mmCIF file with all atom_site columns, all heavy atoms in Angstrom:
data_model
loop_
_atom_site.group_PDB
_atom_site.id
_atom_site.type_symbol
_atom_site.label_atom_id
_atom_site.label_alt_id
_atom_site.label_comp_id
_atom_site.label_asym_id
_atom_site.label_entity_id
_atom_site.label_seq_id
_atom_site.pdbx_PDB_ins_code
_atom_site.Cartn_x
_atom_site.Cartn_y
_atom_site.Cartn_z
_atom_site.occupancy
_atom_site.B_iso_or_equiv
_atom_site.pdbx_formal_charge
_atom_site.auth_seq_id
_atom_site.auth_comp_id
_atom_site.auth_asym_id
_atom_site.auth_atom_id
_atom_site.pdbx_PDB_model_num
ATOM 1  N N   . ASP A 1 365 ? 12.540 -98.973 11.504 1.00 0.00 ? 1305 ASP A N   1
ATOM 2  C CA  . ASP A 1 365 ? 12.658 -97.517 11.481 1.00 0.00 ? 1305 ASP A CA  1
ATOM 3  C C   . ASP A 1 365 ? 11.291 -96.866 11.681 1.00 0.00 ? 1305 ASP A C   1
ATOM 4  O O   . ASP A 1 365 ? 11.143 -95.895 12.433 1.00 0.00 ? 1305 ASP A O   1
ATOM 5  C CB  . ASP A 1 365 ? 13.266 -97.078 10.155 1.00 0.00 ? 1305 ASP A CB  1
ATOM 6  C CG  . ASP A 1 365 ? 13.423 -95.572 10.059 1.00 0.00 ? 1305 ASP A CG  1
ATOM 7  O OD1 . ASP A 1 365 ? 13.829 -94.964 11.061 1.00 0.00 ? 1305 ASP A OD1 1
ATOM 8  O OD2 . ASP A 1 365 ? 13.132 -95.012 8.986  1.00 0.00 ? 1305 ASP A OD2 1
ATOM 9  N N   . GLU A 1 383 ? 18.065 -88.654 14.889 1.00 0.00 ? 1323 GLU A N   1
ATOM 10 C CA  . GLU A 1 383 ? 16.820 -89.272 14.458 1.00 0.00 ? 1323 GLU A CA  1
ATOM 11 C C   . GLU A 1 383 ? 16.293 -88.654 13.174 1.00 0.00 ? 1323 GLU A C   1
ATOM 12 O O   . GLU A 1 383 ? 15.174 -88.899 12.759 1.00 0.00 ? 1323 GLU A O   1
ATOM 13 C CB  . GLU A 1 383 ? 15.758 -89.145 15.554 1.00 0.00 ? 1323 GLU A CB  1
ATOM 14 C CG  . GLU A 1 383 ? 16.126 -89.867 16.839 1.00 0.00 ? 1323 GLU A CG  1
ATOM 15 C CD  . GLU A 1 383 ? 15.091 -89.659 17.917 1.00 0.00 ? 1323 GLU A CD  1
ATOM 16 O OE1 . GLU A 1 383 ? 14.102 -88.946 17.651 1.00 0.00 ? 1323 GLU A OE1 1
ATOM 17 O OE2 . GLU A 1 383 ? 15.256 -90.208 19.010 1.00 0.00 ? 1323 GLU A OE2 1
ATOM 18 N N   . THR A 1 385 ? 15.849 -87.689 9.120  1.00 0.00 ? 1325 THR A N   1
ATOM 19 C CA  . THR A 1 385 ? 15.567 -88.594 8.004  1.00 0.00 ? 1325 THR A CA  1
ATOM 20 C C   . THR A 1 385 ? 16.595 -88.500 6.886  1.00 0.00 ? 1325 THR A C   1
ATOM 21 O O   . THR A 1 385 ? 16.574 -89.288 5.966  1.00 0.00 ? 1325 THR A O   1
ATOM 22 C CB  . THR A 1 385 ? 14.180 -88.279 7.425  1.00 0.00 ? 1325 THR A CB  1
ATOM 23 O OG1 . THR A 1 385 ? 14.162 -86.919 7.003  1.00 0.00 ? 1325 THR A OG1 1
ATOM 24 C CG2 . THR A 1 385 ? 13.107 -88.498 8.458  1.00 0.00 ? 1325 THR A CG2 1
ATOM 25 N N   . THR A 1 405 ? 9.205  -83.685 11.085 1.00 0.00 ? 1345 THR A N   1
ATOM 26 C CA  . THR A 1 405 ? 8.316  -84.179 12.143 1.00 0.00 ? 1345 THR A CA  1
ATOM 27 C C   . THR A 1 405 ? 8.295  -85.699 12.104 1.00 0.00 ? 1345 THR A C   1
ATOM 28 O O   . THR A 1 405 ? 8.716  -86.325 11.121 1.00 0.00 ? 1345 THR A O   1
ATOM 29 C CB  . THR A 1 405 ? 6.888  -83.658 11.948 1.00 0.00 ? 1345 THR A CB  1
ATOM 30 O OG1 . THR A 1 405 ? 6.367  -84.182 10.715 1.00 0.00 ? 1345 THR A OG1 1
ATOM 31 C CG2 . THR A 1 405 ? 6.867  -82.129 11.896 1.00 0.00 ? 1345 THR A CG2 1
ATOM 32 N N   . TYR A 1 406 ? 7.768  -86.279 13.195 1.00 0.00 ? 1346 TYR A N   1
ATOM 33 C CA  . TYR A 1 406 ? 7.680  -87.738 13.238 1.00 0.00 ? 1346 TYR A CA  1
ATOM 34 C C   . TYR A 1 406 ? 6.684  -88.253 12.200 1.00 0.00 ? 1346 TYR A C   1
ATOM 35 O O   . TYR A 1 406 ? 6.841  -89.355 11.666 1.00 0.00 ? 1346 TYR A O   1
ATOM 36 C CB  . TYR A 1 406 ? 7.290  -88.198 14.636 1.00 0.00 ? 1346 TYR A CB  1
ATOM 37 C CG  . TYR A 1 406 ? 8.426  -88.089 15.630 1.00 0.00 ? 1346 TYR A CG  1
ATOM 38 C CD1 . TYR A 1 406 ? 8.439  -87.093 16.597 1.00 0.00 ? 1346 TYR A CD1 1
ATOM 39 C CD2 . TYR A 1 406 ? 9.487  -88.978 15.583 1.00 0.00 ? 1346 TYR A CD2 1
ATOM 40 C CE1 . TYR A 1 406 ? 9.491  -86.985 17.502 1.00 0.00 ? 1346 TYR A CE1 1
ATOM 41 C CE2 . TYR A 1 406 ? 10.542 -88.879 16.480 1.00 0.00 ? 1346 TYR A CE2 1
ATOM 42 C CZ  . TYR A 1 406 ? 10.538 -87.885 17.434 1.00 0.00 ? 1346 TYR A CZ  1
ATOM 43 O OH  . TYR A 1 406 ? 11.582 -87.788 18.314 1.00 0.00 ? 1346 TYR A OH  1
ATOM 44 N N   . GLY A 1 407 ? 5.667  -87.463 11.906 1.00 0.00 ? 1347 GLY A N   1
ATOM 45 C CA  . GLY A 1 407 ? 4.721  -87.862 10.870 1.00 0.00 ? 1347 GLY A CA  1
ATOM 46 C C   . GLY A 1 407 ? 5.396  -87.950 9.519  1.00 0.00 ? 1347 GLY A C   1
ATOM 47 O O   . GLY A 1 407 ? 5.163  -88.887 8.744  1.00 0.00 ? 1347 GLY A O   1
ATOM 48 N N   . GLU A 1 408 ? 6.262  -86.971 9.224  1.00 0.00 ? 1348 GLU A N   1
ATOM 49 C CA  . GLU A 1 408 ? 7.011  -86.985 7.968  1.00 0.00 ? 1348 GLU A CA  1
ATOM 50 C C   . GLU A 1 408 ? 7.983  -88.159 7.943  1.00 0.00 ? 1348 GLU A C   1
ATOM 51 O O   . GLU A 1 408 ? 8.165  -88.816 6.905  1.00 0.00 ? 1348 GLU A O   1
ATOM 52 C CB  . GLU A 1 408 ? 7.772  -85.669 7.800  1.00 0.00 ? 1348 GLU A CB  1
ATOM 53 C CG  . GLU A 1 408 ? 6.864  -84.462 7.579  1.00 0.00 ? 1348 GLU A CG  1
ATOM 54 C CD  . GLU A 1 408 ? 7.601  -83.148 7.656  1.00 0.00 ? 1348 GLU A CD  1
ATOM 55 O OE1 . GLU A 1 408 ? 8.727  -83.130 8.238  1.00 0.00 ? 1348 GLU A OE1 1
ATOM 56 O OE2 . GLU A 1 408 ? 7.083  -82.146 7.153  1.00 0.00 ? 1348 GLU A OE2 1
ATOM 57 N N   . ARG A 1 409 ? 8.596  -88.425 9.084  1.00 0.00 ? 1349 ARG A N   1
ATOM 58 C CA  . ARG A 1 409 ? 9.547  -89.542 9.176  1.00 0.00 ? 1349 ARG A CA  1
ATOM 59 C C   . ARG A 1 409 ? 8.840  -90.865 8.867  1.00 0.00 ? 1349 ARG A C   1
ATOM 60 O O   . ARG A 1 409 ? 9.341  -91.683 8.087  1.00 0.00 ? 1349 ARG A O   1
ATOM 61 C CB  . ARG A 1 409 ? 10.149 -89.577 10.587 1.00 0.00 ? 1349 ARG A CB  1
ATOM 62 C CG  . ARG A 1 409 ? 10.999 -90.814 10.913 1.00 0.00 ? 1349 ARG A CG  1
ATOM 63 C CD  . ARG A 1 409 ? 12.326 -90.816 10.168 1.00 0.00 ? 1349 ARG A CD  1
ATOM 64 N NE  . ARG A 1 409 ? 13.138 -91.946 10.560 1.00 0.00 ? 1349 ARG A NE  1
ATOM 65 C CZ  . ARG A 1 409 ? 14.103 -91.895 11.477 1.00 0.00 ? 1349 ARG A CZ  1
ATOM 66 N NH1 . ARG A 1 409 ? 14.364 -90.767 12.107 1.00 0.00 ? 1349 ARG A NH1 1
ATOM 67 N NH2 . ARG A 1 409 ? 14.824 -92.960 11.754 1.00 0.00 ? 1349 ARG A NH2 1
ATOM 68 N N   . ARG A 1 410 ? 7.667  -91.052 9.448  1.00 0.00 ? 1350 ARG A N   1
ATOM 69 C CA  . ARG A 1 410 ? 6.927  -92.299 9.204  1.00 0.00 ? 1350 ARG A CA  1
ATOM 70 C C   . ARG A 1 410 ? 6.427  -92.371 7.767  1.00 0.00 ? 1350 ARG A C   1
ATOM 71 O O   . ARG A 1 410 ? 6.445  -93.447 7.142  1.00 0.00 ? 1350 ARG A O   1
ATOM 72 C CB  . ARG A 1 410 ? 5.767  -92.422 10.193 1.00 0.00 ? 1350 ARG A CB  1
ATOM 73 C CG  . ARG A 1 410 ? 6.196  -92.778 11.604 1.00 0.00 ? 1350 ARG A CG  1
ATOM 74 C CD  . ARG A 1 410 ? 4.998  -93.165 12.453 1.00 0.00 ? 1350 ARG A CD  1
ATOM 75 N NE  . ARG A 1 410 ? 4.119  -92.029 12.707 1.00 0.00 ? 1350 ARG A NE  1
ATOM 76 C CZ  . ARG A 1 410 ? 4.173  -91.271 13.797 1.00 0.00 ? 1350 ARG A CZ  1
ATOM 77 N NH1 . ARG A 1 410 ? 5.090  -91.522 14.730 1.00 0.00 ? 1350 ARG A NH1 1
ATOM 78 N NH2 . ARG A 1 410 ? 3.329  -90.277 13.975 1.00 0.00 ? 1350 ARG A NH2 1
ATOM 79 N N   . ALA A 1 411 ? 5.987  -91.232 7.225  1.00 0.00 ? 1351 ALA A N   1
ATOM 80 C CA  . ALA A 1 411 ? 5.503  -91.212 5.837  1.00 0.00 ? 1351 ALA A CA  1
ATOM 81 C C   . ALA A 1 411 ? 6.613  -91.587 4.866  1.00 0.00 ? 1351 ALA A C   1
ATOM 82 O O   . ALA A 1 411 ? 6.392  -92.338 3.899  1.00 0.00 ? 1351 ALA A O   1
ATOM 83 C CB  . ALA A 1 411 ? 4.941  -89.831 5.502  1.00 0.00 ? 1351 ALA A CB  1
ATOM 84 N N   . ALA A 1 413 ? 9.266  -93.427 5.593  1.00 0.00 ? 1353 ALA A N   1
ATOM 85 C CA  . ALA A 1 413 ? 9.562  -94.847 5.785  1.00 0.00 ? 1353 ALA A CA  1
ATOM 86 C C   . ALA A 1 413 ? 8.516  -95.719 5.101  1.00 0.00 ? 1353 ALA A C   1
ATOM 87 O O   . ALA A 1 413 ? 8.841  -96.734 4.471  1.00 0.00 ? 1353 ALA A O   1
ATOM 88 C CB  . ALA A 1 413 ? 9.638  -95.168 7.278  1.00 0.00 ? 1353 ALA A CB  1
#
Side-chain angles (χ1 to χ4, degrees):
D1305 180 41
E1323 297 177 359
T1325 58
T1345 64
Y1346 286 106
E1348 292 170 341
R1349 171 71 176 263
R1350 286 192 292 265

